[in-house]
Amino acid sequence: MSETRQNKADPKAQQRHFPRLTVVLVIAAAAGLWHYGSAYYTLPIVERPDSPLHRALAPSGDIGRWLGIAGTLMMTIILLYSLRKRLRLLEQAGNIRMWLSVHIFMGLMGPVLITFHTSFKLGGIVAIAYWSMIISMLSGIFGRYIYIQIPRDTAGERLSKVHLQREGQALDAQLVPHLQRHPVLSHHTQGLMANAEQASGFATIAALLSHDLGRPRKLWNLRRALKKETELNPRQIRELVGLVKRRSVLARRLAMVDTREEAFHHWHVLHRPFVWIMFTIVIVHVGVAILFGYA
């Protein structure tokens, strides 16, 4: 009960749980739609009109049409997050974290619904809009990854370099006795810190990926070495590996604190054109559909 109350009061805990729930809901929606219509979606194009599901699942069908409408509305709603950040009129319109959470949910669920609206059949100028949407979604996921690399407090304010250095010193004070007691720990810790180097521009992104993709394997090697070469019990090993992990992540963030903002700027420059291409073509597509009918 106390843990539940703590999660409700802890914005960071809520922020961790919402993306997981979003992923579960998106996967569930995709799995449900595929289970219902896989017999239709896997048919060759020329055979689909003869399927009993054609009337429902074709792009102009009873279900397919509403999937397109719902997906397009969701993709339109994600623009409200940008307005919320930029318009003073909306400064008091709810917590910015909640707006971001809705932005993420709509930005993932919308493409799923639109994909099923197309019945996996793309052609002409609409294909450009679709692939622009997919690129926007993928770049949005990556933008989120870059965003969470910027350390923030519970109020969402960015932490200063001095604050990070103090946190690093506090973690070092906890680690030093263990490093002196267990030489194997010192060797593996150096390996985890090795690629927390300073980088700039797009090299920052490459360094972030390299560090995060390589860290699980190195932590697993550390856990195995501690189990083999020390007399620590499983709980002590788990706590010590967790401490090393936090120090490794902090070292990487501290080394890149100055260039991470530059990487975020580059991401914005690449992300926005695909968003506007997508919406421009979607407006034309919807206009033509309304003007000439859905059939």
Side-chain angles (χ1 to χ4, degrees), residues 130-145:
Y130 177 81
W131 290 114
S132 294
M133 177 190 70
I134 296 299
I135 293 173
S136 297
M137 180 189 73
L138 295 176
S139 68
I141 293 172
F142 194 69
R144 173 65 176 171
Y145 167 73

Side-chain angles (χ1 to χ4, degrees), residues 164-213:
L164 295 177
Q165 290 171 336
R166 290 174 179 171
E167 186 177 346
Q169 292 169 357
L171 290 174
D172 286 338
Q174 297 179 55
L175 266 177
V176 166
H178 298 289
L179 292 172
Q180 295 172 344
R181 194 176 303 119
H182 307 295
V184 63
L185 177 63
S186 177
H187 170 73
H188 285 274
T189 301
Q190 290 176 1
L192 281 159
M193 304 297 177
N195 57 351
E197 70 276 1
Q198 184 73 29
S200 62
F202 289 106
T204 304
I205 298 175
L208 286 171
L209 283 172
S210 174
H211 191 276
D212 285 345
L213 291 175

Side-chain angles (χ1 to χ4, degrees), residues 7-226:
N7 285 342
K8 288 182 178 179
D10 184 2
K12 286 190 174 181
Q14 294 174 351
Q15 190 179 22
R16 287 193 299 269
H17 295 325
F18 189 89
R20 297 172 188 171
L21 178 60
T22 294
V23 171
V24 169
L25 290 175
V26 171
I27 292 175
L33 289 168
W34 180 257
H35 177 74
Y36 177 75
S38 59
Y40 175 76
Y41 297 130
T42 54
L43 285 174
I45 300 299
V46 295
E47 297 180 16
R48 289 187 181 186
D50 297 326
S51 170
L53 292 172
H54 182 72
R55 185 173 180 179
L57 297 181
S60 59
D62 297 335
I63 295 177
R65 180 172 67 249
W66 285 107
L67 289 175
I69 293 172
T72 301
L73 286 175
M74 287 184 175
M75 296 304 292
T76 303
I77 288 173
I78 65 175
L79 295 177
L80 296 177
Y81 174 67
S82 297
L83 294 177
R84 167 63 177 82
K85 291 194 301 181
R86 289 169 173 77
L87 296 182
R88 290 187 177 181
L89 184 65
L90 297 176
E91 283 183 354
Q92 304 302 321
N95 186 283
I96 190 66
R97 289 180 181 270
M98 182 54 64
W99 280 76
L100 178 59
S101 297
V102 173
H103 177 84
I104 294 171
F105 174 76
M106 297 294 180
L108 292 176
M109 185 66 81
V112 168
L113 298 184
I114 291 175
T115 297
F116 282 94
H117 161 70
T118 67
S119 69
F120 301 89
K121 175 188 175 183
L122 295 168
I125 193 173
V126 175
I128 300 176
Y130 177 81
W131 290 114
S132 294
M133 177 190 70
I134 296 299
I135 293 173
S136 297
M137 180 189 73
L138 295 176
S139 68
I141 293 172
F142 194 69
R144 173 65 176 171
Y145 167 73
I146 297 174
Y147 177 83
I148 63 176
Q149 306 304 319
I150 303 175
R152 301 171 188 271
D153 59 21
T154 55
E157 297 296 328
R158 299 178 186 182
L159 298 176
S160 67
K161 191 171 185 177
V162 173
H163 181 98
L164 295 177
Q165 290 171 336
R166 290 174 179 171
E167 186 177 346
Q169 292 169 357
L171 290 174
D172 286 338
Q174 297 179 55
L175 266 177
V176 166
H178 298 289
L179 292 172
Q180 295 172 344
R181 194 176 303 119
H182 307 295
V184 63
L185 177 63
S186 177
H187 170 73
H188 285 274
T189 301
Q190 290 176 1
L192 281 159
M193 304 297 177
N195 57 351
E197 70 276 1
Q198 184 73 29
S200 62
F202 289 106
T204 304
I205 298 175
L208 286 171
L209 283 172
S210 174
H211 191 276
D212 285 345
L213 291 175
R215 187 172 62 242
R217 177 181 56 82
K218 293 181 179 181
L219 289 174
W220 184 82
N221 289 336
L222 171 61
R223 188 178 291 107
R224 186 177 60 174
L226 289 173

Side-chain angles (χ1 to χ4, degrees), residues 276-294:
W276 293 118
I277 290 171
M278 173 188 68
F279 277 109
T280 300
I281 298 176
V282 165
I283 291 171
V284 174
H285 173 65
V286 172
V288 170
I290 293 174
L291 187 61
F292 294 101
Y294 295 103

